[in-house]
């Protein structure tokens, strides 16, 4: 019995070590770009992932500026614009390609937090639609509806370089680690929901699990938001 107990203890210790190693392992993310925004993004991604410059071997790729070059056939890739995403998806159809479109939502969330005197972490469900414009119709601030502290569902916040960095990093982080049910916005292939048509990339709210995303459904659209979305769709379709 004593020997059996020791073997059981050793087996449990080995299992704990394996599970601990899995929990401590970081995803590998290629962060591509040469400017200050790319440098800031690399530093931020490095807080939760292993950063590499090799896009052709990394499972996750964040393109901050420039072209991604060669990527793995099954890579998850975030690129700067919806037009960039459509181009790369056509070239590498087996890759999961999205566009970084959340900067207006990031900026709008920061503006709401400032008005309410709360941390940005207390702002949820700000959406970035289309090619990237913010909608706070469904947002909450400190658990209260955002429209109780501001009148317009369509704010026009100044998008700072810091917001652009946060948008890029949060997009690839959501895809690599998941969002645990929280909404994020990114440009994905339009499938006709929300009147977006098809054949273009269009920013919508999604929830993520590692390596994948799912559109958020059942979102009501006010007339001003619907009109802005149609204008953005027409612009993307003509790009």
């Amino acid at each position: 019995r004593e020997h059996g107990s020791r073997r059981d203890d050793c087996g449990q210790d080995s299992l704990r070590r394996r599970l601990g190693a899995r929990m401590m392992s970081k995803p590998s993310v290629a962060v591509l770009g040469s400017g200050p925004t790319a440098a800031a993004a690399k530093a931020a991604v490095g807080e939760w992932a292993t950063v590499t410059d090799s896009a052709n071997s990394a499972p996750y790729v964040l393109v901050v500026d420039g072209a991604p070059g060669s990527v793995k056939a099954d890579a998850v890739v975030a690129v700067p614009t919806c037009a960039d995403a459509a181009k790369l998806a056509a070239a590498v159809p087996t890759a999961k390609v999205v566009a970084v479109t959340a900067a207006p939502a990031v900026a709008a969330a920061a503006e709401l937090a400032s008005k309410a005197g709360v941390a940005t972490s207390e702002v949820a469900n700000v959406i970035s639609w289309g090619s990237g414009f913010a909608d706070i119709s469904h947002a909450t601030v400190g658990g209260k509806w955002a429209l109780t502290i501001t009148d317009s569902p369509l704010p026009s916040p100044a998008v700072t370089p810091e917001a652009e960095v946060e948008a890029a990093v949060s997009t690839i982080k959501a895809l690599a680690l998941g969002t645990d049910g929280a909404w994020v916005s990114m440009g994905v292939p339009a499938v006709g929901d929300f009147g977006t048509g098809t054949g273009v990339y269009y920013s919508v709210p999604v929830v993520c699990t590692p390596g994948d995303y799912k559109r958020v459904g059942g979102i009501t659209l006010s007339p001003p938001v619907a009109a802005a979305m149609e204008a953005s769709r027409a612009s993307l379709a003509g790009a």
Side-chain angles (χ1 to χ4, degrees):
R1 290 180 180 177
E2 183 178 348
H3 290 306
S5 177
R6 288 177 179 175
R7 284 196 296 270
D8 289 344
D9 289 344
C10 290
Q12 291 173 2
D13 288 343
S14 177
L15 177 60
R16 280 193 291 267
R17 284 194 295 270
R18 291 198 301 271
L19 290 174
R22 290 179 184 176
M23 291 175 67
M24 293 173 61
S25 63
K26 294 181 177 181
S28 177
V29 179
V31 182
L32 309 181
S34 57
T37 301
K42 288 180 181 180
V45 171
E47 295 178 3
W48 52 268
T50 300
V51 178
T52 176
D53 294 323
S54 180
N56 60 2
S57 61
Y60 299 97
V61 180
L62 171 61
V63 182
V64 181
D65 58 66
S70 176
V71 300
K72 289 179 62 179
D74 60 349
V76 178
V77 189
V79 295
T81 70
C82 287
D84 293 333
K87 182 177 180 180
L88 181 60
V92 191
T94 54
K96 190 176 295 293
V97 183
V98 306
V100 176
T101 55
V106 170
E111 188 176 79
L112 285 172
S114 178
K115 286 182 178 180
V118 301
T120 54
S121 59
E122 294 191 50
V123 181
N125 296 355
V126 179
I127 299 171
S128 190
W129 293 110
S131 57
F133 68 88
D135 170 19
I136 64 169
S137 300
H138 300 272
T140 58
V141 184
K144 300 178 181 179
W145 289 112
L147 288 178
T148 63
I149 63 172
T150 186
D151 294 330
S152 174
L154 297 171
S156 300
V159 176
T160 63
E162 290 78 12
E164 292 177 347
V165 171
E166 184 175 343
V169 173
S170 63
T171 297
I172 200 66
K173 184 176 183 179
L175 291 165
L177 302 183
T179 63
D180 196 26
W183 295 8
V184 293
S185 295
M186 57 185 70
V188 298
V191 295
D193 52 346
F194 306 114
T196 58
T198 59
V200 297
Y201 267 69
Y202 196 97
S203 182
V204 298
V206 302
V207 293
C208 297
T209 53
D212 204 1
Y213 63 82
K214 181 180 180 181
R215 289 169 173 79
V216 177
I219 297 175
T220 57
L221 305 174
S222 67
V225 172
M229 290 175 65
E230 171 56 20
S232 186
R233 184 206 63 78
S235 176
L236 288 168

